[in-house]
Amino acid sequence: MERWHERDTLISTSPQMASWSPDTPCSCDCFVSVPPASAIPAVIFAKNSDRPREEVQEVVFVPAGTHVPGSRLQCTYIEVEQVSKTHAVILSRPSWLWGAEMGANDHGVCIGNEAVWTKEPVGTGEALLGMDLLRLALERGSSAQEALHVITGLLERYGQGGSCREDPMPFCYHNTFLLADRTEAWVLETAGRLWAAQRIQEGARNISNQLSIGTDISAEHPELRPHARAQGWWDGQGAFDFAQTFSLTQQPVRMEAAKARFWAGQELLQQRQGGITAEAMMGILRSKESGICMDSGGFRTTASMVSVLPQDPTQPCVHFLTATPDPSRSVFKPFIFGVGAAQVPQVLSPTFGAQDPVRSLPRFQTQVDRRHALYRGHQVALGLMESEQDRGQQLRQKQRDLEQEGLEAVRGLLAREWAPPPQELGGLFQAFVEKESRAYA
């Protein structure tokens, strides 16, 4: 039985036990700007999803739904109890799993997650992936804080665990989350079933594959401090610093790299304080020098997202998604929830039913081609950019022009200079995906 008490906390059971590989690649970066850091009266959210180089990320639209009481919901590995109503969501996700790396719902909630390793061992058993928790929170939470409660409640009941990559060699981790809505943001950081959260009501914040919540804790698991004290990680005296207490004493190389990206991201945000826009966030996500735009051996940025969440509830939230790798050579395309919103087939990967390697036991013994149509076209374009200078420059210019067209349309919409019918707004993402596809044809 779940029980919330005074500081939005939840009763705990013992964490799962497991091991992890210090050499496993891991990287992602999430950013948020809350007024007055934003240039406009809006919360601006952004994420780069850094994943195995060949992994395909698709963009999936799921409409709002009503469900039979007591029904079960199949996530990536396990089933959970379904709720009676779920929100419409737009998800950017590795195409082999159920959850998502980042996404938004029709209530203006955005979430991104990141891998993290702490002193708490990682679970070996299959449970909910952090990406499953992210999607469940979007489907069930109508505010950032409500979505946070969804995650911590499910974490308590089902735990987090299972391999997070499509490979017979398990790759497991715990998760941190950045959650945002029209008015505020929350950072949620976990260690097994334990967690701490920080509320962001103004300014800019970023997270990068490491614990970052210090003593400024807005909510926490009730067993967090008692557990730390029982383990000898905290003496119970003085201020309790979550990151200092639960971070690994000896950080692996990848975690040190994440620390460098965290500070670089923080500086990029600070340089733009008071003037942060969607374009500014896109620029940060494209920063190769900082490592935020990842391209390192078997790892790269496989998809990116930027969202504008106006504080005025009469204005629509706008979510820009690439659906393709390397944001420095991709197009951020606008999606808006509305009457005409539907799945765009060009960014949906093929399915393989019961024969899918994620469904067949033992898992991930074979490989399948999950590339969607836009991904294939983008691959050809990337090849031309690298091998044919003139043709490559022409394609890159087409990408820039198309993205600028989308940004101008959104500016006009938020300035109330453009008022298209709802059907056209809902079909905006489809229109831009088709234009990009034609540019690559």
Side-chain angles (χ1 to χ4, degrees):
M1 183 74 175
E2 295 173 358
R3 178 159 62 90
W4 291 91
H5 54 123
E6 190 174 24
R7 295 179 66 206
D8 293 332
T9 49
L10 193 63
I11 297 301
S12 170
T13 59
S14 60
Q16 293 176 309
M17 304 295 288
S19 60
W20 59 281
S21 167
D23 301 317
T24 305
C26 59
S27 56
C28 277
D29 296 277
C30 289
F31 303 86
V32 70
S33 171
V34 180
S38 307
I40 59 173
V43 173
I44 302 174
F45 168 93
K47 180 182 175 181
N48 268 355
S49 172
D50 302 335
R51 301 279 303 168
R53 175 171 292 276
E54 302 304 322
E55 186 177 79
V56 177
Q57 204 150 142
E58 61 183 350
V59 173
V60 178
F61 171 74
V62 184
T66 56
H67 310 281
V68 177
S71 60
R72 306 288 293 176
L73 173 65
Q74 178 65 52
C75 300
T76 303
Y77 297 125
I78 68 166
E79 287 186 349
V80 300
E81 286 185 14
Q82 181 58 286
V83 293
S84 59
K85 291 184 179 181
T86 50
H87 307 314
V89 295
I90 188 76
L91 307 169
S92 186
R93 71 178 189 187
S95 55
W96 61 271
L97 52 77
W98 182 83
E101 274 277 295
M102 51 200 170
N105 69 21
D106 56 354
H107 287 257
V109 179
C110 296
I111 311 177
N113 83 307
E114 313 233 349
V116 70
W117 288 267
T118 72
K119 290 176 183 174
E120 282 296 294
V122 177
T124 52
E126 292 184 344
L128 289 172
L129 297 179
M131 292 171 278
D132 293 338
L133 290 165
L134 186 154
R135 176 174 173 177
L136 288 162
L138 287 173
E139 290 187 343
R140 301 176 181 195
S142 57
S143 69
Q145 187 173 20
E146 194 173 300
L148 184 149
H149 289 179
V150 170
I151 292 174
T152 56
L154 290 165
L155 190 62
E156 180 67 20
R157 183 166 185 181
Y158 297 102
Q160 56 182 325
S163 185
C164 299
R165 70 176 175 188
E166 194 178 10
D167 192 279
M169 182 67 68
F171 171 37
C172 306
Y173 50 73
H174 291 158
N175 292 267
T176 65
F177 303 87
L178 183 60
L179 309 94
D181 60 27
R182 291 179 184 266
T183 61
E184 64 181 12
W186 285 80
V187 174
L188 170 64
E189 299 183 338
T190 73
R193 281 183 162 88
L194 303 173
W195 55 271
Q198 183 184 60
R199 191 176 200 168
I200 314 297
Q201 293 180 293
E202 63 176 26
R205 182 73 153 82
N206 61 312
I207 58 173
S208 298
N209 299 113
Q210 59 181 318
L211 299 181
S212 62
I213 298 174
T215 58
D216 186 8
I217 300 172
S218 307
E220 67 188 76
H221 193 293
E223 294 301 315
L224 186 70
R225 299 182 198 216
H227 180 76
R229 194 168 182 180
Q231 295 295 318
W233 301 336
W234 180 56
D235 63 7
Q237 306 297 313
F240 176 78
D241 186 310
F242 175 67
Q244 189 176 72
T245 303
F246 277 83
S247 292
L248 290 164
T249 306
Q250 290 192 321
Q251 299 278 15
V253 173
R254 279 281 175 175
M255 296 287 276
E256 288 298 328
K259 191 180 295 183
R261 287 198 334 276
F262 174 77
W263 290 114
Q266 193 173 81
E267 182 158 340
L268 288 167
L269 287 173
Q270 286 174 348
Q271 289 169 2
R272 294 158 176 78
Q273 279 275 4
I276 297 174
T277 61
E279 282 180 284
M281 284 296 200
M282 291 172 191
I284 290 172
L285 297 185
R286 286 172 166 144
S287 172
K288 286 187 178 288
E289 188 177 280
S290 65
I292 290 167
C293 183
M294 171 65 63
D295 192 350
S296 174
F299 236 49
R300 69 173 170 181
T301 299
T302 55
S304 304
M305 172 178 165
V306 172
S307 294
V308 180
L309 315 174
Q311 291 181 316
D312 181 350
T314 66
Q315 292 190 320
C317 296
V318 184
H319 312 285
F320 294 89
L321 303 114
T322 61
T324 55
D326 188 354
S328 72
R329 296 182 292 176
S330 285
V331 180
F332 284 91
K333 299 166 286 292
F335 173 91
I336 297 174
F337 287 97
V339 177
Q343 178 62 53
V344 176
Q346 294 96 325
V347 294
L348 189 66
S349 293
T351 56
F352 301 90
Q355 283 68 51
D356 195 303
V358 72
R359 291 273 159 254
S360 307
L361 297 177
R363 303 190 200 277
F364 310 125
Q365 300 303 300
T366 58
Q367 293 287 322
V368 291
D369 188 352
R370 300 189 188 275
R371 293 175 299 167
H372 51 71
L374 184 65
Y375 186 99
R376 290 173 181 272
H378 184 260
Q379 276 192 310
V380 173
L382 285 185
L384 288 169
M385 288 179 200
E386 291 166 2
S387 63
E388 298 183 28
Q389 187 174 1
D390 291 344
R391 178 76 175 120
Q393 286 178 348
Q394 290 172 8
L395 281 169
R396 188 67 195 99
Q397 190 58 51
K398 285 184 178 181
Q399 287 183 327
R400 283 192 285 263
D401 291 345
L402 183 57
E403 184 172 286
Q404 199 58 40
E405 183 185 339
L407 285 163
E408 289 298 332
V410 169
R411 278 194 207 98
L413 180 69
L414 297 181
R416 305 188 192 279
E417 296 165 357
W418 178 52
Q423 194 75 25
E424 187 178 339
L425 268 188
L428 200 59
F429 186 66
Q430 169 87 58
F432 275 89
V433 168
E434 289 174 356
K435 289 178 182 180
E436 186 179 0
S437 298
R438 287 196 295 271
Y440 300 151

